[in-house]
Amino acid sequence: MGTSDRFDWIEQLVGSGTPIPPDTASSNLIGRIVSAAVSRGANRPALLEAVGTSEAILRNQLSRVSGQVLIRLFSALEHHLSDPAIALRIGKEAKPNCFSDIGFATRLLPTLSAVLAANVRMQMLRQTLYRVDLVEDGPALKLVWDIGSYDAHEMGALVEFSFGTYVRLAREIWGDQLVVESIAFQHAARFDGQHYSDLLGANVAFGGSRNAVTFSAEQANKPSPCANALLLNAATACHSAPVEWLRSGQRHSAFTYFYLWTELNKSPATLDRAARSFGMTERTLRRHLVEEGHPFRALLDDLRKSMCELYRLENKRSLGEVAELLGYGELSAFSRAYRRWFGEPPSRAWSHPS
């Protein structure tokens, strides 16, 4: 499977018959930003009330909200935290941390160029207010932001957040060796210009004709120190079955799978929660899943086993952390499931200390 094919499930999900509306953002993105803000001292209930959303909406990681919620969110954050640079700061911090987070596995791709391309492909799942394009221009590799008819100042904080996420992503790959050749914003500086340079690690220009970040194409196409072909193969293979379900019309099974995948480490994975997130009753979703040959409990158990295998291959986390990421409230419950899946206790196969 070529690099460009690794994340074909994105197009399958986007093109599954439920078009993603323009000017919207995913609950997954909103939730990551809110969590990062709370870690910096923001009051979560007050923040959600200020932007006009709720915990119930954020619980469904695949649901969409108006793009205005995203714009209001950064405005509220600047007010709540008295920090005009908060969008950039959160862009640097609100990173995917586990396989349940959309985009986490892209870090395993063979080059920074491939990592950036995969994340650009995922942008519609995250938001549809602006478009990011990846352009290789001789010795330069550029990310270019198209904000359409939006006013550059109105979109300033959101674009800054996006710049922060891509620069942070590139630094996850190359660390202090990363070469950022230039950064340009369409809008005027919203705070001290030197502060932008300090946060982004490069010279920053303002008031230009487009928003763009320029990397070294030579470095972006070198083998990535974070590449892991074995783990990447395993991670992308996990989505092959639900993609086939989409193709064969088993939509309820596929969407329940993706819902559980993104929700597993965030709240109890129950049939009732899944049904409510899809706007149907528990009984109706149960019936659809059984008719499609994927009863809820079996689907959840298979997904947990698949994700457990990823963390075992990754070999960077304790058993307690993995149990939590798989949605188990107790380590003993995870240990029993592990023994049932693999025929031995996790302590025998897990080399990372618990």
Side-chain angles (χ1 to χ4, degrees), residues 153-176:
H153 180 74
E154 179 187 17
M155 291 288 284
L158 181 51
V159 170
E160 289 169 13
F161 165 77
S162 185
F163 272 47
T165 63
Y166 278 101
V167 172
R168 180 259 306 152
L169 175 61
R171 282 221 164 79
E172 285 184 53
I173 305 301
W174 282 106
D176 292 338

Side-chain angles (χ1 to χ4, degrees), residues 222-244:
K222 286 182 178 179
S224 165
C226 298
N228 187 326
L230 180 63
L231 187 53
L232 177 64
N233 287 338
T236 53
C238 286
H239 296 323
S240 59
V243 166
E244 287 303 317

